[in-house]
Amino acid sequence: MPLADRIRPTTLDEVVGQQHLLQKGSMFRGIVESGDIPNMIFYGPSGVGKTTVARIIAQNTHKRLHKLNGTTASTADIKAVIAELDTFSGIDGVILYLDEIQYLNKKQQQTLLEFLEDGSITLIASTTENPYFYVYNAILSRSTIFEFKPVDPPEVKRAVLRGFSVLSEQLGYPVHCPDEVADYIAVSCGGDVRKSINAVELLTAGAGFGDDGSKTITLEQAEQVAQRSAMRYDRDADVHYDVMSALQKSIRGSDPDAAVHYLARLLAGGDLLSACRRLLVIASEDVGLAFPQCITIVKACVDSALQLGLPEASIPLSQAALVMATAPKSNSANAAIQAALADVRAGRTGDIPAHIQDAHYSGAKKMGRGLTYQFPHDFPDHYVPQQYLPDALRGTTYYQYGENKVEQAAKAYWERIRKNRGQK
């Protein structure tokens, strides 16, 4: 049995981290201690105590406990749990602890609904994926969701030191872990307690004996074992979308340090394509017309990155992120197209005015196409007032000039031109 399972806490007080849920006086702790357990879904990254807490709760009830894992459970397994409700052992109801519920398909999840509704089955489920994306809505409406968070390093350190202590006792010889090494392991695991305990077990196995028959873990050894363990990133998981969102919001918020931090997290995870795509979007969505040349710079940086590949690609992408983070901002282009799309999707369109319809084919004049069109380049300033929007949308304004010098200069230019033509 792995060390992480051998030292798994058996009471809520032994669990490290999750104090927002487990501290005495909290709502969650009160619910658990009341013994009246509702249907619950635990959501959070791996190795932060979801399974441990679920087991502690389930084992302290008077109901029959069943454990299933979504990665291996079949519909027959679920029906076997339901069948026990009609037996003596299930007379007081059943607690179903369902790990990795996101791997059950919709039909399998629906099988439980009737029994969750009448309370004969109490569900305690855990998932590393956002339940609002992966759990059937009818299950969600019958459950309370509790979010588990990555464990802070000081709390992880407690588990690390306990792991070394238990191993020393079980192996029959001392295993010494200097304080700075325990700190390093606690930080490098990225908030994953299970990962830190696995590192403890691996380091103990790999360390050599000293003259006194003991083992001492060195910082160099810890660095070798935990090379990239602090990276918590999966291209298909919630954290991917969280990092992408944080990158864009940091650039939009003009924070260059945060921008390169989140870019680094994407690139350290090997996700070059997502970084490139998001930077291209930001150039138009958030910088836009305040710095129109920005899209050209970002496109050149992205092209260079794709040609170079990682790790060198990080340099031009850093340039792109920093150019945009420090550039003036305008979302007027995005706001304009979204407003126009809203009208189009709502059916507010109307016929295209005849004078700007296609008139290059024979017979167009007979159909009244392009007869009164005025060619702007034939007029002073290359401008002549004429209607372009459909009659149904005449006078509609989608584009609002942004409060930056580039767009304000364009606004002043066109105000002067239109004033010269007698327009408002």
Side-chain angles (χ1 to χ4, degrees):
M1 183 183 294
L3 177 63
D5 287 326
R6 300 203 302 273
I7 66 171
R8 188 184 293 274
T10 56
T11 68
L12 294 180
D13 290 330
E14 294 176 357
V15 177
V16 297
Q18 313 312 326
Q19 289 306 299
H20 64 293
L21 297 176
L22 302 181
Q23 65 182 339
K24 292 182 178 180
S26 68
M27 180 63 69
F28 179 84
R29 183 80 178 240
I31 291 172
V32 172
E33 292 177 345
S34 73
D36 187 13
I37 308 300
N39 298 312
M40 297 187 287
I41 297 176
F42 297 162
Y43 159 53
S46 299
V48 297
K50 300 187 303 299
T51 300
T52 296
V53 172
R55 287 181 176 180
I56 292 171
I57 294 172
Q59 289 168 355
N60 285 297
T61 66
H62 299 296
K63 296 183 179 183
R64 173 76 168 174
L65 172 63
H66 282 275
K67 302 175 185 177
L68 294 177
N69 190 294
T71 60
T72 56
S74 65
T75 303
D77 294 323
I78 297 173
K79 289 182 176 178
V81 174
I82 294 171
E84 189 167 322
L85 295 173
D86 295 327
T87 68
F88 182 77
S89 62
I91 193 170
D92 292 325
V94 165
I95 281 191
L96 173 59
Y97 168 54
L98 183 52
D99 200 11
E100 305 290 358
I101 188 176
Q102 74 271 17
Y103 289 108
L104 293 187
N105 60 41
K106 183 176 179 179
K107 184 177 180 180
Q108 289 173 314
Q109 293 184 39
Q110 286 177 319
T111 305
L112 296 168
L113 286 178
E114 175 187 347
F115 307 97
L116 299 183
E117 189 72 43
D118 64 18
S120 54
I121 291 180
T122 299
L123 176 68
I124 302 178
S126 65
T127 174
T128 56
E129 306 291 350
N130 191 326
Y132 291 100
F133 296 157
Y134 291 92
V135 178
Y136 183 46
N137 190 58
I139 296 283
L140 289 177
S141 68
R142 292 163 174 80
S143 307
T144 302
I145 297 173
F146 295 97
E147 183 174 3
F148 283 59
K149 300 177 180 179
V151 181
D152 292 333
E155 289 288 297
V156 178
K157 184 179 179 180
R158 285 176 49 206
V160 168
L161 295 175
R162 180 167 177 254
F164 279 117
S165 175
V166 170
L167 275 180
S168 295
E169 184 178 334
Q170 292 178 347
L171 295 173
Y173 53 79
V175 180
H176 303 296
C177 178
D179 204 52
E180 66 272 15
V181 177
D183 285 334
Y184 181 83
I185 298 171
V187 170
S188 67
C189 72
D192 186 329
V193 178
R194 185 189 300 114
K195 190 178 289 185
S196 73
I197 299 302
N198 290 342
V200 168
E201 193 166 25
L202 186 60
L203 285 165
T204 301
F209 286 98
D211 294 337
D212 60 354
S214 68
K215 290 187 176 184
T216 299
I217 310 302
T218 67
L219 183 59
E220 182 182 3
Q221 291 168 337
E223 289 172 344
Q224 292 174 4
V225 168
Q227 290 173 5
R228 292 185 60 188
S229 63
M231 277 300 302
R232 189 172 67 85
Y233 181 78
D234 185 332
R235 298 185 199 187
D236 298 321
D238 284 348
V239 70
H240 164 79
Y241 298 102
D242 289 341
V243 174
M244 295 281 278
S245 175
L247 171 63
Q248 181 158 6
K249 289 171 181 172
S250 297
I251 293 177
R252 180 185 297 153
S254 303
D255 188 328
D257 300 305
V260 292
H261 170 78
Y262 293 114
L263 175 63
R265 287 171 69 161
L266 283 173
L267 298 180
D271 200 352
L272 175 60
L273 185 58
S274 292
C276 289
R277 293 182 68 251
R278 184 53 61 103
L279 290 172
L280 285 170
V281 168
I282 297 169
S284 293
E285 183 176 349
D286 295 302
V287 177
L289 295 173
F291 182 17
Q293 297 84 359
C294 186
I295 183 66
T296 305
I297 297 171
V298 173
K299 178 63 165 61
C301 290
V302 166
D303 287 346
S304 297
L306 293 174
Q307 186 172 0
L308 289 168
L310 290 170
E312 290 87 351
S314 62
I315 301 171
L317 293 188
S318 175
Q319 178 182 345
L322 292 173
V323 164
M324 291 191 290
T326 56
K329 307 294 189 297
S330 173
N331 69 335
S332 58
N334 183 47
I337 190 61
Q338 295 305 324
L341 285 169
D343 272 354
V344 171
R345 288 165 180 160
R348 294 188 289 269
T349 53
D351 294 333
I352 298 172
H355 66 279
I356 62 170
Q357 290 183 16
D358 182 17
H360 78 279
Y361 56 92
S362 60
K365 290 185 178 180
K366 293 181 181 180
M367 298 180 68
R369 305 289 194 262
L371 296 179
T372 60
Y373 176 64
Q374 299 180 78
F375 191 57
H377 297 300
D378 289 339
F379 294 85
D381 301 313
H382 302 266
Y383 173 75
V384 60
Q386 60 187 324
Q387 181 181 339
Y388 294 97
L389 278 170
D391 288 338
L393 294 171
R394 189 169 183 175
T396 300
T397 300
Y398 294 120
Y399 172 58
Q400 300 287 344
Y401 289 95
E403 297 295 331
N404 57 79
K405 66 179 183 180
V406 174
E407 289 182 88
Q408 286 300 305
K411 179 182 180 182
Y413 172 81
W414 285 110
E415 285 178 346
R416 177 176 58 82
I417 296 298
R418 291 187 174 104
K419 184 176 181 182
N420 290 342
R421 299 296 189 279
Q423 288 184 285
K424 293 183 180 179

